[in-house]
Amino acid sequence: MLRRLCGRPHPFRPRRRGTGEPFVLVGRTDALLVGGTLDECVRRANAYLAAGTDCVFVPGAADAETIGTLVRELDGPLNVVMGLNGGTLSLDHLRELGVRRVTSAAASPARCTAIC
């Protein structure tokens, strides 16, 4: 299924270019949430990046070691969510790890995303 989804251009990609509208296409892999390995997450996330996503989101990545590994192994920016499962990493720490986009589950909708 992953090969079929990532083996063709995403339909939103050509339409959003040149529109001037802010838009981020995020690839998501839930492998960590269903007992998958970190290697599986990296493989899937890199496939999404190769298919044209702007960044990838790996729910379940909340500790510094896992996040740091993802940042090093991914071929593009990582988006993380803080506040869902007790993640206590500060925005500064996430920035130091190399995270490029942070979504806060605890913030109001108007302030839910920070770009590092």
Side-chain angles (χ1 to χ4, degrees):
M1 174 93 149
L2 181 67
R3 185 174 308 184
R4 185 175 46 161
L5 290 173
C6 293
R8 60 182 182 213
H10 195 283
F12 290 121
R13 195 83 154 130
R15 291 185 191 143
R16 73 178 178 92
R17 286 193 176 149
T19 65
E21 295 294 322
F23 183 88
V24 176
L25 185 61
V26 180
R28 175 182 172 144
T29 174
D30 290 343
L32 287 180
L33 297 179
V34 296
T37 66
L38 194 54
D39 287 341
E40 177 70 6
C41 288
V42 169
R43 184 182 72 77
R44 288 174 171 272
N46 280 333
Y48 294 136
L49 289 163
T53 62
D54 296 308
C55 64
V56 290
F57 171 44
V58 182
D63 63 274
E65 183 178 348
T66 301
I67 291 170
T69 299
L70 287 168
V71 167
R72 286 188 303 277
E73 298 293 323
L74 294 178
D75 298 329
L78 174 66
N79 179 88
V80 297
V81 171
M82 289 287 112
L84 287 178
N85 55 359
T88 59
L89 300 174
S90 69
L91 189 57
D92 286 337
H93 193 176
L94 292 168
R95 186 180 296 118
E96 289 170 13
L97 289 169
V99 172
R100 299 297 308 266
R101 187 169 188 261
V102 178
T103 303
S104 173
S108 69
R111 297 182 18 213
C112 67
T113 300
I115 306 298
C116 296

